[in-house]
């Protein structure tokens, strides 16, 4: 240990002797690492898997059961109510859920100012399938329509000033509801259960309403809806349940390969039967996409983040080259000192240990400066691309990755110069 | 000072020169592509829209009670809002619409000539439901036909006539007048000049408009206000209070000029161009630091050699020029490599984002910028090198 401190001390003395070249090396390397890390933060978070143990078991089925003929079309990303009923009529999935999102205005009484809220209109299985934590109360016992809502914790606290509000009454769009549950803090990131139209980058919803109630009260999707026939969007409770008004997302949980195979077969049979019955004419094109692949399937990956990732990687490369260049000049300037040590009996191994002390010091400085630059970079990215703001956060894994990257970069930057300084011809070096 | 000797000098420092060349090449590649993207974004922001963007205000709003979101109360609310806005000094025209123009996407539908559906079907066209003043509010020029003067309900017995923009009319009814002809939804009453509709539509300038009462506004609606240039900001400031006075049960999402709306539409591209611009600046800085360090270190190492040259009669200017020439040569070689790197990077970026191909003059321009930066960075170390005394030569004896 004593020897280690000695090496660190020698490194520090060497830095103090020529601080400017060293500061430039640290600055350039930190700049590359900081800029790379700022963008990598978004890239990593946006491509992370929020349910790693389950994301290969949750599937989004899609079929081309639509009242128009198209033989080379992808199926619509959203379903009609009647198609969801047909896709649900199977016992193969362990769980299944339909849902969509809408907007509303929440208040305690009509004399109060309304609070705009986003509503997820869904079924009870949503909470178990996507592992939504419940803080108080319970979820609906079945899929029937009812005047009952579940609130997020933040919404309960905003409206009532506390979180335990089970049994309390609220007004949502001038209709009375009872609160039956309050969620714990929860934000799936990315929000893969709603990946259509790049909604996976959005905040979690504030209010949860039964699907049948949403249809009864004519809540239209605030994300995407299509009418492929004459269905009147003002008659969601009646025509919306039978016509080709598409606005629902539908998920099934298929735990085993056998279940997945069986459900694919079920979809094939269903579409063939429907075609035989004359309810659609298109060539079947069924899709069953796993949750972990859904963003890519919908083309929702952030092209800007991807492009900038490419460029920041390039920038990191340039900074590594530059820092190596500066470091090489610095070591060559100190070559006489290295050679003198060798002449006095220091082994090459000891010189390499000295180099490792240099690497550790550089790692320390670069991590600190790099984090500072990365923080600034994240703030800048949040400003320029506010839609991605939820992903600009660090976690221990990410910080460890940065540390590992800084350590290896510092090692790379120091490796060649130190080797050159310790392995050159001693006579020649001492003469210079 | 020959090219051969300069190359020999560079080859004596192979690793350092190689590192510098790679840096310069990558810097050029990034600079070229950043400039390309910045130019592309600027072109998008300057594209013709057919609208007086800075002086048209769009208010996006929604009633907060269910009754107000449907007829008949909705119709009454709209009338009161339009009447109140018209009284503001500087308002030239005001209209309601189910959605504004200059958007990413929104309410869209298809349209075709019923006699030739297969060839004329246009799948995604913004479908506007508006009040009669919509055309005046957007300042649209009537090209043919007559603009509808009264709102005809979309769910009534009589079909509400349709107004098409010029390019859409030409697409569906090529080489003939569209006025009076039937479409898959309604007969065409008039054709107006093109304007920027939705970015996600089949074509930006394709738009279909029907003058009709709004059936429901669950997704909100827009008030479009054409203003005198000097009154735009004043009207914008008065609008929130005015609209809430008429009925407090509304949520105003935003009040923007169409110019702001247009800029927001390309905010992602603008963001990326800004980031690449910043990064390019940093890369130039890094390249300058590198060149400075290279020249400085080289000058220090070559003190004896410079001294000998001075003792043999080389002038200060010649030494100065020699050092600069070395860096110019490095820059030129780096720029050559950089062109290849720029092409490769352009290809890689184009696979991720929409990016044009490189034009020949861009690498040339950036090479010149790089040359200037490198010259500035090496100037000081080169000046120091010229101050080496000829007496230094004697140290080598």
């Amino acid at each position: 240990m004593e020897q280690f401190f000695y090496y660190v001390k020698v490194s520090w003395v060497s830095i103090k002797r020529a601080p400017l070249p060293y500061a430039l090396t640290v600055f350039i390397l930190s700049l590359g690492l900081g800029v790379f890390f700022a963008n990598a933060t978004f890239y990593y978070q946006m491509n992370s898997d929020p349910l790693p143990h389950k994301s290969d078991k949750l599937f989004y089925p899609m079929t081309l059961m639509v009242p128009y003929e198209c033989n080379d079309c992808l199926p619509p990303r959203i379903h009609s109510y009647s198609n969801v009923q047909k896709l649900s009529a199977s016992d193969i999935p362990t769980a299944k859920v339909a849902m969509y999102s809408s907007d509303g205005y929440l208040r305690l009484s009509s004399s109060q100012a309304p609070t705009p809220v986003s509503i997820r209109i869904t079924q009870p299985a949503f909470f178990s399938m996507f592992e939504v934590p419940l803080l108080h109360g319970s979820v609906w016992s079945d899929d029937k329509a009812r005047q009952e809502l579940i609130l997020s914790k933040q919404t309960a606290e905003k409206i009532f000033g506390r979180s335990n509000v089970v049994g309390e009454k609220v007004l949502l769009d001038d209709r009375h509801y009872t609160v039956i549950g309050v969620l714990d803090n929860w934000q799936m990131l990315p929000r893969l259960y709603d990946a259509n139209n790049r909604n996976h980058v959005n905040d979690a919803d504030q209010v949860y309403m039964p699907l049948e109630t949403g249809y009864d009260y004519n809540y239209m999707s605030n994300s995407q809806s299509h009418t492929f026939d004459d269905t009147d969007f003002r008659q969601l409770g009646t025509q919306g349940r039978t016509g080709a008004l598409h606005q629902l997302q539908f998920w099934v949980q298929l735990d085993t390969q056998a279940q997945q195979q069986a459900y694919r077969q079920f979809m094939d049979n269903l579409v063939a039967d429907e075609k035989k019955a004359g309810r659609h004419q298109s060539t079947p094109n069924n899709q069953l996409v796993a949750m972990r692949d859904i963003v890519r399937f919908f083309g929702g990956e952030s092209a800007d983040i991807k492009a900038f990732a490419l460029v920041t990687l390039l920038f990191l490369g340039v900074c590594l080259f530059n820092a190596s260049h500066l470091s090489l000049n610095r070591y060559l300037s100190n070559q006489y000192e290295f050679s003198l040590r060798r002449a006095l009996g220091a082994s090459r191994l000891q010189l390499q240990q000295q180099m490792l002390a240099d690497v550790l010091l550089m790692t320390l400085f670069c991590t600190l400066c790099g984090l500072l630059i990365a923080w600034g970079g994240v703030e800048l990215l949040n400003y320029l691309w506010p839609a991605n703001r939820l992903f600009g956060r660090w976690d221990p894994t990410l910080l460890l990755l940065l540390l590992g990257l800084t350590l290896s970069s510092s090692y790379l930057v120091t490796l060649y110069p130190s080797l050159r300084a310790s392995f050159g011809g001693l006579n020649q070096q001492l003469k210079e | 000072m020959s090219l051969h000797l300069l190359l020999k000098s560079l080859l004596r420092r192979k690793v350092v020169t190689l590192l510098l060349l790679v840096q310069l090449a990558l810097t050029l590649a990034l600079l070229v592509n950043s400039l390309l993207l910045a130019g592309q974004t600027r072109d998008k922001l300057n594209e013709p829209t057919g609208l007086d963007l800075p002086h048209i205000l769009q208010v996006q709003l929604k009633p907060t009670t269910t009754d107000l979101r449907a007829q008949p109360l909705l119709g009454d609310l709209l009338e009161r809002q339009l009447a109140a806005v018209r009284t503001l000094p500087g308002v030239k025209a005001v209209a309601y619409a189910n959605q504004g123009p200059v958007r990413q996407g929104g309410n869209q539908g298809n349209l075709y000539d019923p006699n030739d559906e297969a060839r004329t079907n246009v799948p995604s066209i913004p479908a506007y439901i508006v009040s009669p003043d919509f055309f005046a509010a957007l300042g649209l020029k009537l090209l043919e036909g007559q603009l509808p003067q009264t709102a005809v309900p979309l769910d009534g017995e009589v079909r509400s006539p349709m107004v098409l923009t010029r390019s859409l009319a030409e697409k569906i009814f090529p080489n003939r007048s569209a006025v009076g002809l039937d479409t898959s939804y309604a007969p065409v009453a008039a054709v107006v000049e093109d304007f920027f509709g939705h970015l996600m539509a089949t074509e930006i300038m394709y738009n279909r408009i029907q003058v009709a009462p709004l059936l429901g506004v669950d997704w909100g609606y827009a008030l479009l206000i054409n203003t005198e240039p000097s009154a735009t900001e004043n009207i914008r400031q008065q609008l929130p209070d005015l609209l809430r006075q008429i009925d407090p049960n509304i949520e105003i999402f935003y009040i923007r000029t169409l110019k702001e709306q247009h800029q927001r539409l390309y905010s992602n591209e603008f963001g990326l161009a800004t980031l690449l611009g910043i990064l390019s600046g940093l890369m130039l800085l890094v390249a300058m630091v590198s060149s400075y360090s290279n020249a400085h270190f080289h000058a220090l190492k070559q003190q004896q050699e410079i001294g000998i040259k001075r003792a043999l009669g080389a002038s200060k200017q010649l030494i100065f020029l020699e050092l600069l020439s070395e860096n110019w040569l490095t820059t030129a070689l780096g720029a050559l490599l950089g062109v290849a790197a720029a092409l490769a990077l352009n290809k890689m970026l184009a696979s991720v984002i929409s990016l044009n191909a490189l034009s020949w003059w861009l690498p040339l321009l950036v090479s010149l910028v790089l040359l200037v930066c490198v010259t500035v960075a090496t100037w000081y170390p080169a000046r120091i090198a010229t101050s080496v005394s000829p007496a230094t030569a004697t140290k080598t004896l």
Side-chain angles (χ1 to χ4, degrees):
Chain A
M1 204 57 178
E2 199 180 324
Q3 190 63 25
F4 171 74
F5 283 120
Y6 170 73
Y7 286 137
V8 173
K9 197 177 158 190
V10 170
S11 289
W12 181 243
V13 170
S14 165
I15 293 166
K16 281 207 302 193
R17 201 184 308 136
L20 186 65
Y22 190 80
L24 276 176
T25 313
V26 169
F27 170 68
I28 301 267
L29 195 56
S30 308
L31 199 62
L33 286 166
V35 170
F36 176 78
F37 189 59
N39 191 65
T41 302
F42 287 87
Y43 192 83
Y44 168 83
Q45 298 288 6
M46 290 180 104
N47 289 293
S48 63
D49 188 344
L51 289 177
H53 55 288
K54 214 175 179 182
S55 61
D56 58 340
K57 299 182 177 79
L58 297 173
F59 288 87
Y60 193 89
M62 284 169 274
T63 66
L64 199 50
M65 293 193 292
V66 283
Y68 58 78
E69 189 173 354
C70 184
N71 294 320
D72 56 354
C73 296
L74 276 175
R77 296 174 182 186
I78 41 177
H79 300 268
S80 67
Y81 184 92
S82 57
N83 281 355
V84 163
Q85 295 297 309
K86 288 167 193 163
L87 286 166
S88 300
S90 161
D91 293 330
I92 300 164
T94 311
K96 53 214 166 190
V97 66
M99 64 174 119
Y100 66 105
S101 60
S102 192
D103 298 312
Y105 294 95
L106 192 69
R107 51 184 139 186
L108 280 178
S109 67
S110 51
S111 59
Q112 268 190 342
T115 303
V117 286
S118 64
I119 312 168
R120 182 132 306 259
I121 299 173
T122 185
Q123 294 169 316
F126 172 81
F127 301 92
S128 56
M129 278 174 81
F130 299 107
E131 301 185 354
V132 187
L134 210 63
L135 183 64
H136 301 295
S138 58
V139 300
W140 316 293
S141 54
D142 55 41
D143 290 343
K144 289 179 183 157
R146 57 189 78 221
Q147 300 286 109
E148 291 171 351
L149 298 177
I150 294 165
L151 305 183
S152 71
K153 188 181 171 193
Q154 290 81 359
T155 309
E157 285 172 349
K158 187 173 179 187
I159 300 290
F160 294 94
R162 59 197 158 88
S163 67
N164 193 354
V165 294
V166 173
E168 298 286 351
K169 305 280 183 198
V170 282
L171 267 178
L172 179 65
D173 290 321
D174 309 326
R175 296 185 192 95
H176 291 277
Y177 292 85
T178 305
V179 179
I180 64 153
V182 177
L183 303 185
D184 206 344
N185 290 324
W186 178 67
Q187 168 74 66
M188 183 190 273
L189 273 181
R191 211 175 63 153
L192 294 185
Y193 59 84
D194 188 0
N196 192 18
N197 275 358
R198 282 187 52 78
N199 284 332
H200 64 286
V201 302
N202 291 343
D203 278 315
D205 298 288
Q206 292 145 310
V207 174
Y208 297 80
M209 174 191 278
L211 183 79
E212 299 302 328
T213 312
Y215 265 69
D216 285 348
Y217 289 147
N218 217 87
Y219 276 96
M220 287 298 296
S221 167
N222 63 357
S223 171
Q224 190 181 11
S225 55
H226 278 301
T227 313
F228 296 118
D229 58 11
D230 295 331
T231 301
D232 186 344
F233 69 88
R234 290 170 296 169
Q235 308 295 329
L236 206 54
T238 52
Q239 294 180 29
R241 283 189 163 106
T242 55
L245 194 157
H246 289 234
Q247 66 170 358
L248 289 172
Q249 294 157 332
F250 183 59
W251 289 94
V252 287
Q253 184 175 336
L254 304 164
D255 293 324
T256 62
Q257 284 286 338
Q259 272 180 306
Q260 290 160 25
Q261 195 54 42
Y263 196 74
R264 277 183 215 278
Q265 189 58 53
F266 164 75
M267 286 169 69
D268 290 346
N269 295 342
L270 172 68
V271 171
D273 289 348
E274 289 285 306
K275 192 172 181 182
K276 207 181 284 177
R279 282 190 280 270
H280 72 91
Q281 297 86 41
S282 303
T283 307
N285 183 2
N286 299 332
Q287 302 286 337
L288 191 63
V289 184
M291 188 185 187
R292 59 171 54 158
D293 302 323
I294 195 72
V295 174
R296 202 178 315 126
F297 185 86
F298 284 159
E301 290 171 302
S302 175
D304 300 315
I305 293 280
K306 235 178 179 177
F308 196 52
L310 193 70
V311 173
T312 52
L313 191 64
L314 202 71
F315 184 63
L316 178 61
V318 169
C319 288
L320 272 174
F321 280 118
N322 192 292
S324 304
H325 180 194
L326 289 171
S327 182
L328 181 58
N329 284 349
R330 196 175 142 256
Y331 271 86
L332 290 179
S333 301
N334 291 343
Q335 198 163 43
Y336 183 78
E337 183 189 318
F338 268 80
S339 306
L340 200 59
R341 274 198 224 156
R342 278 174 63 195
L344 291 174
S347 68
R348 282 175 179 148
L349 179 71
Q350 282 168 325
L351 290 178
Q352 288 302 302
Q353 283 171 344
Q354 175 64 61
M355 183 272 282
L356 279 176
D358 286 359
V359 168
L360 286 178
L361 266 185
M362 186 172 277
T363 305
L364 176 72
F365 293 135
C366 286
T367 305
L368 293 175
C369 295
L371 275 176
L372 201 66
I373 293 167
W375 175 80
V378 167
E379 291 297 308
L380 181 68
L381 285 166
N382 277 337
Y383 173 73
L384 290 170
W385 290 326
N388 299 333
R389 73 194 186 287
L390 290 175
F391 298 89
R393 63 195 175 94
W394 292 335
D395 57 30
T397 319
L398 205 56
L399 290 171
L400 271 176
L401 279 174
L402 171 73
L403 194 65
L405 185 66
T406 313
L407 187 66
S408 40
S409 302
S410 303
Y411 186 74
L412 272 177
V413 162
T414 321
L415 181 66
Y416 174 74
S418 70
L419 284 177
R420 187 154 158 191
S422 18
F423 284 85
L426 196 55
N427 275 343
Q428 181 63 31
Q429 287 173 0
L430 283 170
K431 275 182 192 168
E432 282 183 3
Chain B
M1 186 178 52
S2 71
L3 183 68
H4 172 73
L5 286 177
L6 285 176
L7 281 171
K8 210 171 163 188
S9 168
L10 289 180
L11 283 173
R12 249 189 331 204
R13 297 166 284 139
K14 282 188 226 56
V15 178
V16 172
T17 306
L18 187 72
L19 288 173
L20 197 59
L21 283 179
V22 173
Q23 271 177 69
L24 290 168
L26 293 180
T27 304
L28 184 124
L30 187 67
L31 272 169
V32 163
N33 284 286
S34 300
L35 275 176
L36 187 68
L37 191 73
Q40 211 173 289
T41 308
R42 188 206 57 206
D43 289 346
K44 279 182 182 171
L45 288 171
N46 291 332
E47 69 196 335
T49 60
L51 299 165
D52 181 16
L53 296 179
H55 306 122
I56 299 173
L57 285 168
Q58 179 183 335
V59 188
Q60 188 66 30
L61 66 170
K62 182 177 171 182
T64 56
T65 65
T66 46
D67 291 345
L68 274 175
R69 278 182 234 146
Q71 297 291 353
L73 290 184
L74 173 63
D76 176 58
L77 173 71
L78 291 170
E79 281 310 316
R80 284 185 289 135
Q81 286 178 336
L82 293 182
V85 175
R86 272 188 209 112
T87 61
L88 291 175
V91 170
K92 292 202 296 200
V94 56
Y96 66 73
N98 62 332
Q99 59 188 339
V102 196
R103 288 167 56 115
Q104 187 80 22
N107 191 350
Q108 296 180 355
N110 68 332
L111 199 71
Y112 53 86
D113 175 357
N115 298 318
D116 190 5
E117 179 183 348
R119 204 184 53 77
T120 62
N121 183 37
V122 181
S124 302
I125 308 162
Y128 300 90
I129 303 162
V130 302
S131 60
D133 279 343
F134 176 81
F135 307 98
L138 292 188
L140 298 175
K141 190 177 162 196
L142 175 68
L143 297 179
E144 54 177 325
Q146 271 199 317
L147 293 174
Q149 297 302 314
T150 51
V152 179
L154 292 178
D155 54 354
E157 295 286 310
V158 181
R159 289 190 299 167
S160 176
M162 196 169 268
V163 177
L164 306 181
T165 47
R166 181 175 50 81
S167 54
L168 179 60
E170 282 168 5
K171 166 74 185 167
I172 296 180
F173 304 106
N175 307 319
R176 57 190 164 137
S177 167
V179 176
L181 298 176
D182 204 9
T183 69
S184 47
Y185 281 91
V188 180
V191 175
V192 293
E193 191 51 89
D194 280 343
F195 68 91
F196 191 122
H198 292 179
L199 206 55
M200 302 293 282
T202 307
E203 284 287 335
I204 288 175
M205 294 293 182
Y206 286 178
N207 294 288
R208 56 176 244 214
I209 306 128
Q210 283 176 289
V211 176
L214 295 178
L215 296 175
V217 288
D218 284 328
W219 295 291
Y221 63 97
L223 292 180
L224 297 160
I225 307 160
N226 198 337
T227 65
E228 299 286 354
S230 57
T232 312
E233 210 39 55
N234 198 22
I235 292 169
R236 190 215 289 254
Q237 280 165 17
Q238 292 179 61
L239 279 169
D241 288 343
L242 178 76
L243 292 169
R244 287 200 183 94
Q245 267 170 30
I246 293 158
D247 198 311
N249 295 309
I250 53 163
E251 184 189 2
I252 300 173
F253 297 108
Y254 57 80
I255 303 174
R256 294 184 194 135
T257 62
L258 290 187
K259 187 177 175 64
E260 289 162 352
Q261 181 83 357
H262 190 237
Q263 281 166 346
R264 289 176 75 95
L265 216 48
Y266 294 113
S267 59
N268 273 0
E269 285 89 342
F270 179 76
L272 187 60
T274 308
L275 285 170
L276 290 186
I278 293 172
L279 215 54
S280 299
L282 289 175
M283 267 201 167
L284 267 183
L285 178 75
V286 169
M288 285 174 80
V289 167
S290 205
S291 300
Y292 170 82
S293 147
N294 183 44
H296 186 63
F297 182 72
H298 181 51
L300 283 179
K301 291 292 265 187
Q302 301 297 105
Q303 268 191 1
Q304 289 168 354
E305 193 179 317
I306 293 169
I308 292 170
K309 283 180 184 169
R310 292 277 287 119
L312 292 174
S315 67
K316 282 186 176 185
Q317 284 77 8
L318 190 71
I319 301 292
F320 183 66
L321 202 64
E322 195 174 291
L323 282 168
L324 281 185
S325 301
E326 264 190 45
N327 279 287
W328 288 337
L329 182 64
T330 317
T331 312
L333 292 173
L336 272 180
L337 284 175
V339 174
L343 286 168
L345 182 63
N346 183 265
K347 212 170 175 186
M348 278 195 274
L349 284 174
S351 68
V352 185
I353 53 168
S354 158
L355 192 67
N356 294 337
L358 288 181
S359 39
W360 64 268
W361 56 268
L362 211 49
L364 208 63
L365 176 78
V366 174
S367 301
L368 283 175
V369 172
L370 213 53
L371 199 67
V372 171
C373 288
V374 167
T375 308
V376 169
T378 39
W379 194 273
Y380 180 65
R383 293 286 331 161
I384 289 180
T386 57
S387 60
V388 173
S389 158
T392 315
T394 55
K395 288 184 185 172
T396 57
L397 298 174

